[in-house]
Amino acid sequence: MCRVFNSQTPSADLKKKKNRMEEEADTGVSSRTERKALEKAKILQRERERKIFRLVGRVLKKPEADRSEEEAAVLLLHGETVEELCKRQVRTNVLKRKQEEVFDDADELKSKVRQLAVAVKQAKHLVVYTGAGISTAASIPDYRGPNGVWTQLQKGRTVSSSDLSKAEPTLTHMCVRMLHKEKLVQHVVSQNCDGLHLRSGLPRHALSELHGNMFIEVCTTCSPVREYVRLFDVTERTSLHRHGTCRRCSHCGSELRDTIVHFGERGTLEQPLNWKGAAEAAKMADVILCLGSSLKVLKKYACLWCMNRPASKRPKLYIVNLQWTPKDDLAKLKIHGKCDEVMSLLMEELNIQIPVYDRAEDPIFCLATPLRQEEVDSHTREVIAPLDGQEDCLPDSGEHAEEATAVQGGWFGRGYGKGRKKKKKAA
């Protein structure tokens, strides 16, 4: 038997392997060098483009008559940059116009309110959509107004936190409640979390708080979901995707959570959001009145606008807002005025007296669930103080406290109604 031996020696194999490794190393160094060179070239290119944009921008700011021949030549040489900067300026001007507050003069305002009054009287199913603009009179900042939260942040300014517990229902809140009482308004859909609609006395079944209520925390472990109404802002420790309030359900011991729908979230709680009530009201509406809302968020909720219907069969839209809204072109009437002023004129046209908010009749004091002894120090927010002599309405312990926590369906739910009847019979 013949054996075939490899003619190459082990040293030759090692040499070949070493050569291959050196070649691969050279290739790796080469590719890294190329990548770095490419990245450097991109950085230099961006820097050149920035310089050109700055140069062209300075020239465009000058009146045409004041430009030198060299500057005119720069504009001719960089035509694409000139075109892009002009487009940007147009977009900026449009945005500024949309942010400007426009006021109708006194005569025009009265004329528009008269048209609105006719629509309110003739409406078979009127639904009101409210935004932050109806609460500015209560010293609660809006979002997109001249002094709004987003406006200030865009300018790089700090936003001071306001104590919402000191706010009280505004004239607009009281007007809306009265219009519902007079059966002229069937449902209210609010983006606000300040709880002022309910504190005005508006029944819970007639309200959808799409973004939650700062005074309500809930136990989602209990079935149905158990609500706890508090006299302070329960959102002290909550934020995006973090809803725990560090207090516990008195029935099952689970951690309570706030009801707020933070930016970037989708609300799923049945109450106080009441999406079902909002969608059903929008479906039945023949008139929608928008008060103090930019509608930039509400426009995204397709179920509120009946856009699947032909234009002639959609609800007639009336908007009261000082700034542009994305629904202006679809509106039957746009009123540029402050909500309180417009609603005051409207109630005058309808010959309906505007009720004054009375803290002694604020339902929150009778419906609030007291904190347990171990929870007294669970927050640092200011508590809404009752008027002198109103302390008797506050539940403190025992059966009264149990009754308050058992309210299902909200502040004006059936549980609350039954509790009130029992008290009257006992009296």
Side-chain angles (χ1 to χ4, degrees), residues 24-291:
E24 288 173 2
D26 290 341
T27 306
V29 170
S30 175
S31 61
R32 282 199 300 273
T33 305
E34 287 174 3
R35 282 201 305 272
K36 285 185 178 180
L38 188 61
E39 287 171 7
K40 185 177 179 181
K42 286 180 180 178
I43 292 170
L44 292 173
Q45 177 63 22
R46 284 197 296 268
E47 188 57 38
R48 281 194 294 271
E49 288 174 357
R50 286 195 197 100
K51 285 181 179 178
I52 292 170
F53 267 83
R54 285 195 291 268
L55 175 61
V56 173
R58 283 197 297 271
V59 175
L60 287 174
K61 285 179 181 178
K62 290 185 178 182
E64 195 171 344
D66 296 343
R67 295 172 191 164
S68 65
E69 290 182 6
E70 290 146 355
E71 289 172 335
V74 166
L75 297 184
L76 286 172
L77 181 62
H78 303 291
E80 288 184 5
T81 304
V82 171
E83 187 178 349
E84 176 60 27
L85 286 173
C86 288
K87 285 180 181 178
R88 290 184 186 181
Q89 189 60 47
V90 169
R91 288 197 294 269
T92 301
N93 292 338
V94 169
L95 185 61
K96 282 182 179 178
R97 281 198 299 273
K98 288 179 177 180
Q99 291 176 337
E100 288 175 359
E101 289 190 342
V102 179
F103 291 84
D104 291 331
D105 61 52
D107 291 337
E108 186 178 10
L109 187 64
K110 288 180 180 178
S111 173
K112 287 183 176 181
V113 171
R114 279 194 290 271
Q115 295 177 56
L116 176 60
V118 171
V120 170
K121 289 176 184 175
Q122 293 178 349
K124 295 176 182 176
H125 198 96
L126 170 61
V127 181
V128 176
Y129 295 171
T130 65
I134 74 165
S135 296
T136 52
S139 299
I140 298 176
D142 58 11
Y143 292 96
R144 295 177 175 86
N147 298 311
V149 174
W150 301 149
T151 308
Q152 297 301 316
L153 290 175
Q154 283 174 351
K155 293 178 180 179
R157 300 173 185 169
T158 56
V159 179
S160 58
S161 58
S162 53
D163 188 355
L164 303 188
S165 65
K166 293 180 179 177
E168 294 181 344
T170 65
L171 181 142
T172 298
H173 288 98
M174 302 311 294
C175 289
V176 170
R177 188 204 89 175
M178 197 64 189
L179 289 174
H180 176 267
K181 187 177 180 181
E182 295 290 325
K183 295 184 171 49
L184 292 171
V185 167
Q186 275 62 50
H187 200 82
V188 177
V189 178
S190 181
Q191 297 170 255
N192 301 337
C193 307
D194 51 35
L196 295 182
H197 275 303
L198 285 175
R199 292 185 62 193
S200 73
L202 186 68
R204 186 59 170 280
H205 66 80
L207 176 64
S208 295
E209 293 177 294
L210 300 185
H211 296 158
N213 187 313
M214 59 180 271
F215 294 111
I216 300 178
E217 53 188 350
V218 297
C219 174
T220 53
T221 305
C222 287
S223 181
V225 171
R226 187 172 296 278
E227 294 186 351
Y228 292 77
V229 180
R230 306 296 190 186
L231 294 177
F232 56 89
D233 180 2
V234 303
T235 67
E236 184 175 4
R237 293 182 175 87
T238 67
S239 60
L240 181 67
H241 303 311
R242 295 180 63 186
H243 293 274
T245 64
C246 297
R247 285 175 288 278
R248 297 277 169 183
C249 175
S250 61
H251 289 258
C252 71
S254 299
E255 185 180 18
L256 301 180
R257 55 156 290 175
D258 70 2
T259 60
I260 304 301
V261 180
H262 298 282
F263 289 97
E265 295 179 340
R266 184 182 293 275
T268 56
L269 286 173
E270 185 177 338
Q271 292 290 354
L273 278 55
N274 192 13
W275 267 105
K276 184 179 178 182
E280 287 178 355
K283 195 183 295 182
M284 295 174 65
D286 60 340
V287 174
I288 294 174
L289 172 59
C290 300
L291 297 172

Side-chain angles (χ1 to χ4, degrees), residues 173-427:
H173 288 98
M174 302 311 294
C175 289
V176 170
R177 188 204 89 175
M178 197 64 189
L179 289 174
H180 176 267
K181 187 177 180 181
E182 295 290 325
K183 295 184 171 49
L184 292 171
V185 167
Q186 275 62 50
H187 200 82
V188 177
V189 178
S190 181
Q191 297 170 255
N192 301 337
C193 307
D194 51 35
L196 295 182
H197 275 303
L198 285 175
R199 292 185 62 193
S200 73
L202 186 68
R204 186 59 170 280
H205 66 80
L207 176 64
S208 295
E209 293 177 294
L210 300 185
H211 296 158
N213 187 313
M214 59 180 271
F215 294 111
I216 300 178
E217 53 188 350
V218 297
C219 174
T220 53
T221 305
C222 287
S223 181
V225 171
R226 187 172 296 278
E227 294 186 351
Y228 292 77
V229 180
R230 306 296 190 186
L231 294 177
F232 56 89
D233 180 2
V234 303
T235 67
E236 184 175 4
R237 293 182 175 87
T238 67
S239 60
L240 181 67
H241 303 311
R242 295 180 63 186
H243 293 274
T245 64
C246 297
R247 285 175 288 278
R248 297 277 169 183
C249 175
S250 61
H251 289 258
C252 71
S254 299
E255 185 180 18
L256 301 180
R257 55 156 290 175
D258 70 2
T259 60
I260 304 301
V261 180
H262 298 282
F263 289 97
E265 295 179 340
R266 184 182 293 275
T268 56
L269 286 173
E270 185 177 338
Q271 292 290 354
L273 278 55
N274 192 13
W275 267 105
K276 184 179 178 182
E280 287 178 355
K283 195 183 295 182
M284 295 174 65
D286 60 340
V287 174
I288 294 174
L289 172 59
C290 300
L291 297 172
S293 173
S294 68
L295 301 181
K296 289 184 178 179
V297 175
L298 281 184
K299 74 168 184 180
K300 298 175 183 177
Y301 304 142
C303 65
L304 299 181
W305 304 103
C306 304
M307 295 304 288
N308 56 337
R309 299 183 198 169
S312 60
K313 294 187 178 181
R314 293 175 199 156
K316 292 176 183 176
L317 183 58
Y318 293 79
I319 299 174
V320 179
N321 204 54
L322 293 171
Q323 295 174 309
W324 171 89
T325 82
K327 292 288 183 180
D328 284 355
D329 292 340
L330 300 175
K332 178 82 172 175
L333 180 69
K334 172 71 181 289
I335 302 177
H336 297 96
K338 291 188 175 181
C339 292
D340 279 5
E341 186 179 359
V342 171
M343 293 305 290
S344 180
L345 291 170
L346 176 63
M347 298 298 272
E348 189 179 326
E349 284 290 329
L350 297 172
N351 197 27
I352 298 175
Q353 189 172 356
I354 303 171
V356 178
Y357 168 73
D358 184 358
R359 181 172 281 210
E361 296 180 2
D362 193 324
I364 197 169
F365 295 111
C366 288
L367 299 172
T369 306
L371 293 173
R372 290 177 290 175
Q373 190 62 40
E374 62 271 23
E375 295 177 330
V376 171
D377 297 324
S378 65
H379 73 98
T380 60
R381 295 292 171 91
E382 189 167 337
V383 177
I384 304 174
L387 297 174
D388 293 338
Q390 200 178 354
E391 290 84 354
D392 295 339
C393 190
L394 292 174
D396 47 13
S397 61
E399 184 182 344
H400 199 174
E402 185 71 17
E403 181 183 305
T405 59
V407 175
Q408 297 299 327
W411 295 3
F412 288 85
R414 292 179 182 174
Y416 172 63
K418 288 178 182 176
R420 296 284 291 178
K421 286 177 185 176
K422 286 178 183 177
K423 280 187 195 175
K424 287 181 181 178
K425 286 179 181 178

